Amino acid sequence: MSTVELTKDNFDEIVSGSDLVLIDFWAEWCGPCKQFGPVFERSSETHGDLVFAKVNTEKEPELAAAFDIRSIPTLMIVRQNIAVFAQPGALPEAALEDVIGQARALDMDEVRASVAEAQAPQAQQGQQGQAGTGEQA
């Protein structure tokens, strides 16, 4: 399978409609991006059941900003609408295959529980902040 170009217009549809998406944030002028591109493309041909997508950070600065991309290339893996991996740098082929294997092996129930647990203190802080705005006894 060849890679898909992600834009702000198709991002939600592609990511939400896929179980596991690998996203390569890149730019035309970036030497390491050009080095990683063929590795990413070969992997997409090996893993036809996964979605391999590319975000050109020059054409899609809003997407790069939304994911706080500060260095390219950055590889991000989204599984069931949860970003489970993000790392800048051009990965060698063996490392990319290892990361894909780890993403496939994740217990997503555990991941969702971990995300909920991490978000719970933030939700409590928000509720406590609101509780302090009512009438005083």
Side-chain angles (χ1 to χ4, degrees):
M1 176 179 187
S2 63
T3 58
V4 175
E5 183 177 349
L6 278 185
T7 66
K8 65 183 180 206
D9 296 328
N10 69 4
F11 186 90
D12 288 338
E13 176 188 341
I14 290 174
V15 172
S16 296
S18 307
D19 181 59
L20 203 150
V21 182
L22 286 88
I23 305 169
D24 175 19
F25 289 87
W26 70 287
E28 189 67 40
W29 52 263
C30 167
C33 297
K34 290 180 179 182
Q35 176 187 352
F36 181 61
V39 172
F40 192 75
E41 192 67 38
R42 279 193 302 274
S43 188
S44 77
E45 293 166 5
T46 304
H47 301 279
D49 59 322
L50 306 180
V51 174
F52 284 73
K54 295 177 84 68
V55 174
N56 183 332
T57 58
E58 295 290 302
K59 292 181 181 177
E60 299 295 330
E62 299 93 345
L63 282 179
F67 289 98
D68 199 27
I69 303 301
R70 299 194 183 276
S71 179
I72 54 174
T74 290
L75 175 68
M76 179 176 288
I77 300 178
V78 178
R79 180 149 178 223
Q80 297 176 10
N81 288 322
I82 299 172
V84 296
F85 178 86
Q87 178 177 313
L91 292 175
E93 202 155 344
L96 178 58
E97 292 302 315
D98 183 51
V99 168
I100 292 170
Q102 289 180 50
R104 285 182 186 273
L106 284 172
D107 180 333
M108 289 310 292
D109 290 332
E110 278 184 26
V111 170
R112 280 187 285 280
S114 177
V115 168
E117 186 178 307
Q119 290 174 343
Q122 293 171 352
Q124 284 179 334
Q125 284 178 342
Q127 290 172 354
Q128 289 171 353
Q130 291 174 354
T133 61
E135 290 183 31
Q136 293 184 354

